[in-house]
Amino acid sequence: MSNQLSLLNNHVVAQLDLKNVDLDCLDLINSQGPISPGNLARRAGLHPATVTGILDRLQRGGWVTRERDPIDRRAVVVRALRDRNPELLHLYSGMNASLDDICEGYEPAQLEVIADFLSRTAEAGTAASEAMGRKGT
């Protein structure tokens, strides 16, 4: 599954003229934002200078904007520009339709178990990633 999703993402970034890491960061910004560049770097496990280049590309492409933090005017936050989301969602529409078809074959209780499994797996991956990041510093 991981390989197939990676392959799909490779096709998506090629269509959007982005890099895989750009798409990863855009996903984090969409789900966690507005977010500071430093916090984005920590969550993505990237060096802050790398994130600066990623944000430059995303901003040039019209995917994000950098704004002054409303609480701390000295700080900057990054916000996704939602008007580009339909373009992104369109590229995943085939996969999303397939997932809808797959889910129709399950009972609600089964879907709850699957959702719980996926949520717990994501949490385990987050914990393992954070632990590895702490060892590397």
Side-chain angles (χ1 to χ4, degrees), residues 6 51 54 65 88 108 124:
S6 180
V51 169
I54 292 166
T65 185
L88 189 59

Side-chain angles (χ1 to χ4, degrees), residues 80-119:
L81 296 173
R82 304 289 183 186
D83 58 328
R84 295 291 307 266
N85 281 352
E87 181 180 353
L88 189 59
L89 292 173
H90 172 71
L91 295 171
Y92 287 102
S93 63
M95 180 64 174
N96 289 336
S98 294
L99 287 174
D100 288 343
D101 291 344
I102 291 166
C103 288
E104 285 179 10
Y106 291 96
E107 298 295 323
Q110 292 173 308
L111 289 172
E112 287 180 29
V113 170
I114 293 168
D116 178 63
F117 171 79
L118 292 173
S119 176

